[in-house]
Structure formats: structure tokens, C-alpha cells
């Protein structure tokens, strides 16, 4: 059952008490919806994390945590699912997002090379930010929708399987 799977990795709210870096938001962390492992809090949190992972800004985990608190979904799942966007996947993900946005905006292709410098930010990003943002939003929405539907179906299938096994055990067998 997915609930058992997520419980193995669940972060306990009690372990976060008294941390100095959480003191500004500690009063918000007592909401039970942020920690409970239920389909209604885990599945949307997973989709939220996938959406945030596609956005081209730093601080994905922080953004996912703040939105999880605001939307009252599972905080650890939202934070961990942002790790889909990592240094290995950023390049292909942003290139695909740029191409999607460029096609939708009907713009001429621009050379797409990313350099981590302020010179690149001011010289090249000006030309690609619109298609990149549009593509990132669409790619994030599609990935979140696919993740939501997939995890929802897996969770429900697991529950149906669990209930079928439970019914099978509770039926009296043939007597000899």
C-alpha cells in the first residue's frame, strides 16, 4: 500500500521542534495536513513538487514548502518531489521547455546555450525568457497532471488489491 511506503520515509514533525532556522514559521508547521500520509494530501503534494521542479528559478524546495503550507498538502512529499529537477535533468528539461514555448509563440530559433554568469543573464536571457517561461509553465503543468493521475491510480489500485486480499482471507474456506 502506498501509505506504508511513504511512512518508511516520513519526516516526523517532532524532529523539527526547536530548530532555530524554523523559528519564523514554526507556528505554521503544527497543521496536521502537512504531515499526515493520506491520498488527499500526498497526491496533490507530489503534483505540486513536480510543477515547481520545472520552474526556472532557484529555491525549488523552499517554494514547494511554502506552497504546501499554503495549500495544506503534505510538506515532505512536496519538497522531495522537487528533486526531479536536478543538475542532470535541468538542461534537457529547460531545452524542451524553451522549444515548446518557442513553437507556441512562433519565434525564430535562437541559439540556446546556458552559462552561469551575469553577462549571459543580461545578454542572452533577455531573448529567451518568454518562450522559456511559457514552456516551463506548460511542461510543469503537464508533468504535474501526469504525476497526479499516475500516483492517484497507483494508490487506488493498491487499495483495491489490499481490500481484495482482505476479503479473500476473511471468506471461510471449503470444509472437509
Amino acid at each position: 500500500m502506498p501509505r506504508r511506503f511513504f511512512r518508511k520515509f516520513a519526516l516526523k514533525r517532532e524532529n523539527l521542534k526547536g530548530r532555530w532556522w524554523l523559528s519564523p514559521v514554526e507556528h505554521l508547521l503544527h497543521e496536521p495536513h502537512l504531515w499526515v500520509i493520506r491520498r488527499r494530501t500526498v497526491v496533490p503534494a507530489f503534483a505540486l513538487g513536480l510543477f515547481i521542479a520545472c520552474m526556472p528559478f532557484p529555491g525549488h524546495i523552499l517554494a514547494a514548502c511554502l506552497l504546501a503550507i499554503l495549500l495544506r498538502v503534505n510538506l515532505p512529499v512536496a519538497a522531495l518531489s522537487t528533486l526531479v529537477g536536478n543538475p542532470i535533468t535541468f538542461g534537457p528539461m529547460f531545452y524542451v521547455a524553451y522549444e515548446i514555448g518557442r513553437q507556441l509563440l512562433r519565434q525564430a530559433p535562437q541559439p540556446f546555450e546556458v552559462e552561469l554568469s551575469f553577462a549571459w543573464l543580461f545578454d542572452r536571457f533577455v531573448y529567451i525568457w518568454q518562450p522559456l517561461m511559457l514552456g516551463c509553465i506548460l511542461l510543469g503543468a503537464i508533468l504535474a497532471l501526469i504525476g497526479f493521475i499516475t500516483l492517484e491510480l497507483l494508490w487506488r489500485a493498491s487499495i483495491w488489491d489490499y481490500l481484495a486480499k482482505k476479503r479473500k482471507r476473511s471468506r471461510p474456506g471449503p470444509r472437509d
Side-chain angles (χ1 to χ4, degrees), residues 6 36-47 73-74 77-78 151 155:
F6 283 110
V36 69
I37 299 175
R38 301 263 188 258
R39 181 178 50 87
R40 291 184 180 174
T41 60
V42 170
V43 174
F46 183 69
V73 295
N74 191 290
V77 171
L151 190 57
W155 198 294

Side-chain angles (χ1 to χ4, degrees), residues 90-105:
F90 277 147
M93 189 168 52
F94 289 154
Y95 180 74
V96 168
Y98 169 73
E99 284 298 320
I100 290 170
R102 189 185 64 75
Q103 293 288 333
L104 289 173
L105 293 175

Side-chain angles (χ1 to χ4, degrees), residues 15-153:
N15 295 344
L16 297 176
K17 279 189 177 179
R19 307 286 179 163
W20 64 268
W21 45 276
L22 286 175
S23 59
V25 293
E26 190 170 1
H27 65 283
L28 298 172
L29 298 178
H30 296 294
E31 180 71 35
H33 292 286
L34 300 177
W35 305 99
V36 69
I37 299 175
R38 301 263 188 258
R39 181 178 50 87
R40 291 184 180 174
T41 60
V42 170
V43 174
F46 183 69
L48 172 70
L50 292 178
F51 179 77
I52 295 293
C54 292
M55 295 300 111
F57 57 77
H60 290 133
I61 293 176
L62 179 63
C65 288
L66 293 174
L67 283 172
I69 291 170
L70 183 69
L71 299 173
R72 298 175 55 183
V73 295
N74 191 290
L75 191 128
V77 171
L80 289 176
S81 60
T82 62
L83 298 178
V84 167
N86 57 56
I88 296 170
T89 61
F90 277 147
M93 189 168 52
F94 289 154
Y95 180 74
V96 168
Y98 169 73
E99 284 298 320
I100 290 170
R102 189 185 64 75
Q103 293 288 333
L104 289 173
L105 293 175
R106 292 180 167 73
Q107 290 186 350
Q110 297 283 332
F112 188 85
E113 70 273 347
V114 176
E115 185 180 311
L116 297 176
S117 69
F118 285 111
W120 176 86
L121 186 65
F122 293 119
D123 294 338
R124 299 294 312 146
F125 190 70
V126 174
Y127 299 108
I128 66 168
W129 78 269
Q130 288 176 331
L132 180 65
M133 283 304 296
L134 176 63
C136 284
I137 290 170
L138 288 175
L139 186 65
I142 291 168
L143 191 61
L145 181 66
I146 290 170
F148 184 93
I149 291 170
T150 303
L151 190 57
E152 178 80 18
L153 290 175

